[in-house]
Amino acid sequence: MTLAGVVLALVAAAVGVARLVTVGPAATDRLPHLGGLPPVEHAVSRFHVRWYTVTMIFLAFDMEMIFMYPWTVVVATMGTTAVVEMFLFLAILLAGVLYAWREGALRWT
């Protein structure tokens, strides 16, 4: 069997399994559970554009944490150089947050 035949067989198997485990129409008639309250808007409704800015700021702080965890492991062996580099990195992130604050990205009104 050629590689194309194997790939075609795998795709056909995946489609078959997907059709077997698909949720029937009876389960989609029920309301989704949202803390016991009925939904007030559609699940695929659009978000306000301000949320994208908040998301970018969150990602900046998330990246800060990703870089700080390995830094804590090597700071003892690297010494003062690692501390200076981390404070420089934090200063760059702080400059980004101050810029977002100045531009009104954190203002909700």
Side-chain angles (χ1 to χ4, degrees), residues 48-59:
H48 196 279
V49 72
R50 288 186 188 134
W51 283 110
Y52 296 107
T53 310
V54 170
T55 303
M56 289 297 134
I57 293 171
F58 169 76
L59 285 176

Side-chain angles (χ1 to χ4, degrees), residues 35-104:
L37 301 173
V40 293
E41 61 185 21
H42 194 272
V44 206
S45 62
R46 293 182 177 200
F47 292 105
H48 196 279
V49 72
R50 288 186 188 134
W51 283 110
Y52 296 107
T53 310
V54 170
T55 303
M56 289 297 134
I57 293 171
F58 169 76
L59 285 176
F61 284 110
D62 201 32
M63 288 296 114
E64 171 189 358
M65 286 292 106
I66 287 174
F67 286 118
M68 283 182 96
Y69 286 136
W71 174 77
T72 58
V73 174
V74 299
V75 70
T77 58
M78 295 291 293
T80 342
T81 315
V83 175
V84 170
E85 287 177 357
M86 183 50 70
F87 277 108
L88 181 65
F89 177 68
L90 291 175
I92 292 170
L93 282 179
L94 181 65
V97 170
L98 290 176
Y99 173 76
W101 191 350
R102 187 186 75 192
E103 292 296 317

